[in-house]
Amino acid sequence: MTADARLLDELLQLAVASCGEVDVAHDAVAARRHWRSASLVVIGVDAASSCVRAKLPYRSDVVLVARVSDGAESADDPAFQAAGALGADHVVVLPAAAAWLTERFGSAGTARRDEAPVIGVIGGRGGAGASVLAAGLAISAARVGRRPMLVDADPLGGGVDLLLGWESTAGLRWPELSAARGRVDVAALYGELPRRGELVVVSWDRGDTLDLPVEAMEATLGAGRRGSDLVVVDLPRHLDEPAVRAAQVADEVLMVVTADIRGCASAARMAAQIGPHCRALRVVVRGPAPGRLRVADVGQALGLPVAGSLRPEPDLAVALEDGEPPAGSGKGPLAEFCERLVAELRTPTAPRQVA
């Protein structure tokens, strides 16, 4: 995307020779059509500020580029100050970066179609059961032969590894991953994370460290998309910067709403907070419904589509306290719902290459 004819000519020469298919947009309005689907987005510095003003949603694989003749001698030039707001992965200057950019164009054709879907899960109110649903989705995916990653984005949640009964399972937690940046080696990361069978987990521990750089979240989710068949993110109700970025990356966010008036009122506020960051937001209604509130009534009250409902499961709380992971038995309303949802998700076109 650029309105600079000279820069466009240089970019087209590099792109057409290495990746073949190129779409050109001269402004943010035209770019929006291809913004989510493109395997790579290359933005000229002349168009950077318009992208920021258009509030295009966060996505990976964005490169900001300029020419030396524009007066941009380095990535420290003021022309590149929009890079952070854009979430650009790289800032480059031509002609010095011509070889790198040519290679990047060449790898773009297969970069995104093999990436795993990302599903975020958040509670409409505290105690709605979002963490349980997130863990259940990951476990159900592993049961049917997929390679899922479960990401704990809630530093105040006590650790999703504890919910799984994995607190003694060796592996890195968020405090040790906080320095992760850029494109993380998938095999190396997966070799260090807590893992059982096909499921790997990125969890908080019970320590005092609660801060996580947004770059670490981006790098970890990027590795998860490349190395997994499904990434499930347990989102917090307090939306810090890493949580917002995870919601922006997610293909869909599921909000668990209890089937009562207070639950709906709380969920409406939560939807207003997270909705602007989501590509898609759907509701999962959790029973019981003491006032006989119907699933359709909840969706209508919130103005959101309903992904399904979870029937009451009286024995679930006891099973969790006994260390049994959510949906671990493969039986019951939670397991049934998770299996259905996993079956609806697309599978990456290429097998995951993780040792």
PDB file of all heavy atoms in Angstrom, residues 15 64 95 102 105 123 127 134 174 180 184 193 198 219 225 238 247 252 258 268 273 286 297 333:
ATOM      1  N   ALA A  15       8.429  -7.844  -5.788  1.00  0.00           N
ATOM      2  CA  ALA A  15       7.352  -8.772  -5.441  1.00  0.00           C
ATOM      3  C   ALA A  15       6.992  -9.710  -6.577  1.00  0.00           C
ATOM      4  O   ALA A  15       6.887 -10.929  -6.384  1.00  0.00           O
ATOM      5  CB  ALA A  15       6.117  -7.991  -4.999  1.00  0.00           C
ATOM      6  N   LEU A  64       6.854  -2.081   7.112  1.00  0.00           N
ATOM      7  CA  LEU A  64       6.857  -0.667   6.763  1.00  0.00           C
ATOM      8  C   LEU A  64       8.149  -0.368   5.999  1.00  0.00           C
ATOM      9  O   LEU A  64       9.235  -0.748   6.448  1.00  0.00           O
ATOM     10  CB  LEU A  64       6.782   0.183   8.029  1.00  0.00           C
ATOM     11  CG  LEU A  64       6.653   1.700   7.858  1.00  0.00           C
ATOM     12  CD1 LEU A  64       5.359   2.039   7.135  1.00  0.00           C
ATOM     13  CD2 LEU A  64       6.697   2.374   9.218  1.00  0.00           C
ATOM     14  N   PRO A  95      17.478   1.125  -0.965  1.00  0.00           N
ATOM     15  CA  PRO A  95      17.686  -0.206  -1.563  1.00  0.00           C
ATOM     16  C   PRO A  95      18.390  -1.216  -0.659  1.00  0.00           C
ATOM     17  O   PRO A  95      18.559  -2.368  -1.030  1.00  0.00           O
ATOM     18  CB  PRO A  95      18.544   0.114  -2.783  1.00  0.00           C
ATOM     19  CG  PRO A  95      19.367   1.274  -2.328  1.00  0.00           C
ATOM     20  CD  PRO A  95      18.466   2.115  -1.463  1.00  0.00           C
ATOM     21  N   THR A 102      12.864  -9.146  -0.945  1.00  0.00           N
ATOM     22  CA  THR A 102      12.594 -10.121  -2.005  1.00  0.00           C
ATOM     23  C   THR A 102      12.356 -11.505  -1.412  1.00  0.00           C
ATOM     24  O   THR A 102      11.415 -12.213  -1.790  1.00  0.00           O
ATOM     25  CB  THR A 102      13.763 -10.183  -2.997  1.00  0.00           C
ATOM     26  OG1 THR A 102      13.933  -8.899  -3.586  1.00  0.00           O
ATOM     27  CG2 THR A 102      13.504 -11.209  -4.093  1.00  0.00           C
ATOM     28  N   PHE A 105       8.949 -11.554   0.362  1.00  0.00           N
ATOM     29  CA  PHE A 105       7.868 -11.729  -0.610  1.00  0.00           C
ATOM     30  C   PHE A 105       7.756 -13.192  -1.033  1.00  0.00           C
ATOM     31  O   PHE A 105       6.663 -13.742  -1.167  1.00  0.00           O
ATOM     32  CB  PHE A 105       8.118 -10.864  -1.843  1.00  0.00           C
ATOM     33  CG  PHE A 105       7.647  -9.449  -1.728  1.00  0.00           C
ATOM     34  CD1 PHE A 105       8.503  -8.397  -1.996  1.00  0.00           C
ATOM     35  CD2 PHE A 105       6.338  -9.157  -1.373  1.00  0.00           C
ATOM     36  CE1 PHE A 105       8.072  -7.079  -1.905  1.00  0.00           C
ATOM     37  CE2 PHE A 105       5.896  -7.846  -1.278  1.00  0.00           C
ATOM     38  CZ  PHE A 105       6.778  -6.803  -1.544  1.00  0.00           C
ATOM     39  N   GLY A 123     -14.843 -14.363  30.090  1.00  0.00           N
ATOM     40  CA  GLY A 123     -16.048 -14.455  30.908  1.00  0.00           C
ATOM     41  C   GLY A 123     -16.883 -13.197  30.812  1.00  0.00           C
ATOM     42  O   GLY A 123     -16.347 -12.084  30.881  1.00  0.00           O
ATOM     43  N   GLY A 127     -16.267 -15.652  37.323  1.00  0.00           N
ATOM     44  CA  GLY A 127     -16.795 -16.966  37.676  1.00  0.00           C
ATOM     45  C   GLY A 127     -17.722 -17.579  36.658  1.00  0.00           C
ATOM     46  O   GLY A 127     -18.391 -18.576  36.942  1.00  0.00           O
ATOM     47  N   ALA A 134     -12.055 -22.747  27.998  1.00  0.00           N
ATOM     48  CA  ALA A 134     -10.816 -22.676  27.223  1.00  0.00           C
ATOM     49  C   ALA A 134     -10.022 -23.969  27.350  1.00  0.00           C
ATOM     50  O   ALA A 134      -9.554 -24.538  26.350  1.00  0.00           O
ATOM     51  CB  ALA A 134      -9.981 -21.485  27.689  1.00  0.00           C
ATOM     52  N   TRP A 174       5.191 -18.071  31.906  1.00  0.00           N
ATOM     53  CA  TRP A 174       5.301 -16.729  31.347  1.00  0.00           C
ATOM     54  C   TRP A 174       6.506 -15.933  31.847  1.00  0.00           C
ATOM     55  O   TRP A 174       7.155 -15.240  31.057  1.00  0.00           O
ATOM     56  CB  TRP A 174       4.026 -15.934  31.593  1.00  0.00           C
ATOM     57  CG  TRP A 174       2.967 -16.091  30.546  1.00  0.00           C
ATOM     58  CD1 TRP A 174       1.674 -16.454  30.735  1.00  0.00           C
ATOM     59  CD2 TRP A 174       3.090 -15.850  29.131  1.00  0.00           C
ATOM     60  NE1 TRP A 174       0.984 -16.471  29.540  1.00  0.00           N
ATOM     61  CE2 TRP A 174       1.839 -16.104  28.538  1.00  0.00           C
ATOM     62  CE3 TRP A 174       4.153 -15.461  28.308  1.00  0.00           C
ATOM     63  CZ2 TRP A 174       1.605 -15.970  27.176  1.00  0.00           C
ATOM     64  CZ3 TRP A 174       3.928 -15.322  26.940  1.00  0.00           C
ATOM     65  CH2 TRP A 174       2.673 -15.572  26.388  1.00  0.00           C
ATOM     66  N   ALA A 180      10.699 -13.026  25.062  1.00  0.00           N
ATOM     67  CA  ALA A 180      10.475 -13.485  23.682  1.00  0.00           C
ATOM     68  C   ALA A 180      10.105 -12.309  22.792  1.00  0.00           C
ATOM     69  O   ALA A 180       9.322 -11.446  23.172  1.00  0.00           O
ATOM     70  CB  ALA A 180       9.376 -14.540  23.654  1.00  0.00           C
ATOM     71  N   VAL A 184       9.740 -16.558  16.897  1.00  0.00           N
ATOM     72  CA  VAL A 184      10.334 -17.536  17.807  1.00  0.00           C
ATOM     73  C   VAL A 184      10.444 -18.886  17.116  1.00  0.00           C
ATOM     74  O   VAL A 184       9.545 -19.296  16.370  1.00  0.00           O
ATOM     75  CB  VAL A 184       9.470 -17.654  19.086  1.00  0.00           C
ATOM     76  CG1 VAL A 184       9.980 -18.770  19.991  1.00  0.00           C
ATOM     77  CG2 VAL A 184       9.462 -16.327  19.826  1.00  0.00           C
ATOM     78  N   LEU A 193       8.110 -26.023  26.758  1.00  0.00           N
ATOM     79  CA  LEU A 193       6.817 -25.777  27.406  1.00  0.00           C
ATOM     80  C   LEU A 193       6.273 -27.031  28.088  1.00  0.00           C
ATOM     81  O   LEU A 193       6.600 -28.153  27.679  1.00  0.00           O
ATOM     82  CB  LEU A 193       5.797 -25.302  26.366  1.00  0.00           C
ATOM     83  CG  LEU A 193       6.014 -23.920  25.758  1.00  0.00           C
ATOM     84  CD1 LEU A 193       4.993 -23.667  24.656  1.00  0.00           C
ATOM     85  CD2 LEU A 193       5.925 -22.829  26.830  1.00  0.00           C
ATOM     86  N   GLU A 198      -0.345 -34.297  22.771  1.00  0.00           N
ATOM     87  CA  GLU A 198      -0.334 -33.265  21.735  1.00  0.00           C
ATOM     88  C   GLU A 198      -0.563 -31.863  22.288  1.00  0.00           C
ATOM     89  O   GLU A 198      -0.435 -30.880  21.556  1.00  0.00           O
ATOM     90  CB  GLU A 198      -1.423 -33.579  20.690  1.00  0.00           C
ATOM     91  CG  GLU A 198      -1.197 -34.875  19.928  1.00  0.00           C
ATOM     92  CD  GLU A 198       0.080 -34.827  19.111  1.00  0.00           C
ATOM     93  OE1 GLU A 198       0.430 -33.757  18.592  1.00  0.00           O
ATOM     94  OE2 GLU A 198       0.743 -35.873  19.000  1.00  0.00           O
ATOM     95  N   ALA A 219       4.864 -12.793  20.062  1.00  0.00           N
ATOM     96  CA  ALA A 219       5.811 -13.816  19.616  1.00  0.00           C
ATOM     97  C   ALA A 219       5.305 -15.219  19.925  1.00  0.00           C
ATOM     98  O   ALA A 219       5.422 -16.141  19.112  1.00  0.00           O
ATOM     99  CB  ALA A 219       7.175 -13.585  20.271  1.00  0.00           C
ATOM    100  N   ARG A 225       0.575 -20.305  16.229  1.00  0.00           N
ATOM    101  CA  ARG A 225      -0.125 -20.418  14.949  1.00  0.00           C
ATOM    102  C   ARG A 225       0.681 -21.243  13.957  1.00  0.00           C
ATOM    103  O   ARG A 225       0.105 -21.963  13.131  1.00  0.00           O
ATOM    104  CB  ARG A 225      -0.397 -19.031  14.364  1.00  0.00           C
ATOM    105  CG  ARG A 225      -1.303 -18.165  15.209  1.00  0.00           C
ATOM    106  CD  ARG A 225      -1.910 -17.025  14.420  1.00  0.00           C
ATOM    107  NE  ARG A 225      -2.986 -17.527  13.578  1.00  0.00           N
ATOM    108  CZ  ARG A 225      -3.908 -16.769  13.014  1.00  0.00           C
ATOM    109  NH1 ARG A 225      -3.867 -15.465  13.200  1.00  0.00           N
ATOM    110  NH2 ARG A 225      -4.861 -17.275  12.275  1.00  0.00           N
ATOM    111  N   HIS A 238      -9.941  -8.104  32.926  1.00  0.00           N
ATOM    112  CA  HIS A 238      -9.223  -6.824  32.934  1.00  0.00           C
ATOM    113  C   HIS A 238      -8.311  -6.830  31.703  1.00  0.00           C
ATOM    114  O   HIS A 238      -7.366  -7.595  31.623  1.00  0.00           O
ATOM    115  CB  HIS A 238      -8.412  -6.657  34.223  1.00  0.00           C
ATOM    116  CG  HIS A 238      -7.398  -7.729  34.449  1.00  0.00           C
ATOM    117  ND1 HIS A 238      -7.733  -8.996  34.919  1.00  0.00           N
ATOM    118  CD2 HIS A 238      -6.059  -7.751  34.244  1.00  0.00           C
ATOM    119  CE1 HIS A 238      -6.639  -9.729  34.997  1.00  0.00           C
ATOM    120  NE2 HIS A 238      -5.617  -9.015  34.610  1.00  0.00           N
ATOM    121  N   ALA A 247      -6.689 -10.685  21.824  1.00  0.00           N
ATOM    122  CA  ALA A 247      -8.047 -10.596  21.271  1.00  0.00           C
ATOM    123  C   ALA A 247      -8.006 -10.139  19.817  1.00  0.00           C
ATOM    124  O   ALA A 247      -8.789 -10.607  18.987  1.00  0.00           O
ATOM    125  CB  ALA A 247      -8.889  -9.637  22.104  1.00  0.00           C
ATOM    126  N   GLU A 252     -11.667 -15.522  16.491  1.00  0.00           N
ATOM    127  CA  GLU A 252     -12.979 -15.394  17.130  1.00  0.00           C
ATOM    128  C   GLU A 252     -12.789 -15.386  18.637  1.00  0.00           C
ATOM    129  O   GLU A 252     -11.880 -16.017  19.165  1.00  0.00           O
ATOM    130  CB  GLU A 252     -13.894 -16.550  16.738  1.00  0.00           C
ATOM    131  CG  GLU A 252     -15.257 -16.513  17.399  1.00  0.00           C
ATOM    132  CD  GLU A 252     -16.163 -17.659  16.978  1.00  0.00           C
ATOM    133  OE1 GLU A 252     -15.676 -18.809  16.931  1.00  0.00           O
ATOM    134  OE2 GLU A 252     -17.342 -17.397  16.714  1.00  0.00           O
ATOM    135  N   THR A 258     -23.523 -16.264  31.947  1.00  0.00           N
ATOM    136  CA  THR A 258     -24.443 -17.028  32.781  1.00  0.00           C
ATOM    137  C   THR A 258     -25.878 -16.619  32.451  1.00  0.00           C
ATOM    138  O   THR A 258     -26.159 -15.459  32.134  1.00  0.00           O
ATOM    139  CB  THR A 258     -24.162 -16.794  34.269  1.00  0.00           C
ATOM    140  OG1 THR A 258     -24.187 -15.389  34.541  1.00  0.00           O
ATOM    141  CG2 THR A 258     -22.796 -17.361  34.643  1.00  0.00           C
ATOM    142  N   ALA A 268     -22.876  -7.384  28.983  1.00  0.00           N
ATOM    143  CA  ALA A 268     -23.050  -6.249  28.087  1.00  0.00           C
ATOM    144  C   ALA A 268     -21.900  -5.267  28.231  1.00  0.00           C
ATOM    145  O   ALA A 268     -21.388  -4.726  27.241  1.00  0.00           O
ATOM    146  CB  ALA A 268     -24.388  -5.556  28.384  1.00  0.00           C
ATOM    147  N   GLN A 273     -16.356  -3.515  26.040  1.00  0.00           N
ATOM    148  CA  GLN A 273     -14.919  -3.352  26.213  1.00  0.00           C
ATOM    149  C   GLN A 273     -14.118  -4.147  25.192  1.00  0.00           C
ATOM    150  O   GLN A 273     -13.180  -3.634  24.583  1.00  0.00           O
ATOM    151  CB  GLN A 273     -14.521  -3.783  27.628  1.00  0.00           C
ATOM    152  CG  GLN A 273     -15.047  -2.893  28.723  1.00  0.00           C
ATOM    153  CD  GLN A 273     -14.465  -1.487  28.665  1.00  0.00           C
ATOM    154  OE1 GLN A 273     -13.262  -1.314  28.546  1.00  0.00           O
ATOM    155  NE2 GLN A 273     -15.335  -0.492  28.735  1.00  0.00           N
ATOM    156  N   ARG A 286     -24.290 -20.243  29.616  1.00  0.00           N
ATOM    157  CA  ARG A 286     -24.092 -21.323  30.586  1.00  0.00           C
ATOM    158  C   ARG A 286     -25.241 -21.378  31.582  1.00  0.00           C
ATOM    159  O   ARG A 286     -25.566 -20.383  32.235  1.00  0.00           O
ATOM    160  CB  ARG A 286     -22.776 -21.101  31.349  1.00  0.00           C
ATOM    161  CG  ARG A 286     -22.244 -22.361  32.004  1.00  0.00           C
ATOM    162  CD  ARG A 286     -21.283 -22.041  33.110  1.00  0.00           C
ATOM    163  NE  ARG A 286     -21.980 -21.722  34.353  1.00  0.00           N
ATOM    164  CZ  ARG A 286     -21.388 -21.230  35.435  1.00  0.00           C
ATOM    165  NH1 ARG A 286     -20.116 -20.937  35.418  1.00  0.00           N
ATOM    166  NH2 ARG A 286     -22.097 -20.993  36.530  1.00  0.00           N
ATOM    167  N   ASP A 297     -32.892 -15.472  24.256  1.00  0.00           N
ATOM    168  CA  ASP A 297     -33.112 -14.202  24.954  1.00  0.00           C
ATOM    169  C   ASP A 297     -31.786 -13.542  25.318  1.00  0.00           C
ATOM    170  O   ASP A 297     -31.635 -12.327  25.225  1.00  0.00           O
ATOM    171  CB  ASP A 297     -33.934 -14.424  26.221  1.00  0.00           C
ATOM    172  CG  ASP A 297     -35.358 -14.883  25.928  1.00  0.00           C
ATOM    173  OD1 ASP A 297     -35.859 -14.568  24.829  1.00  0.00           O
ATOM    174  OD2 ASP A 297     -35.943 -15.572  26.784  1.00  0.00           O
ATOM    175  N   PRO A 333     -21.887 -32.394  29.280  1.00  0.00           N
ATOM    176  CA  PRO A 333     -22.231 -31.249  28.434  1.00  0.00           C
ATOM    177  C   PRO A 333     -21.031 -30.447  27.963  1.00  0.00           C
ATOM    178  O   PRO A 333     -20.988 -30.009  26.808  1.00  0.00           O
ATOM    179  CB  PRO A 333     -23.128 -30.403  29.357  1.00  0.00           C
ATOM    180  CG  PRO A 333     -23.725 -31.384  30.314  1.00  0.00           C
ATOM    181  CD  PRO A 333     -22.651 -32.405  30.555  1.00  0.00           C
TER     182      PRO A 333
END
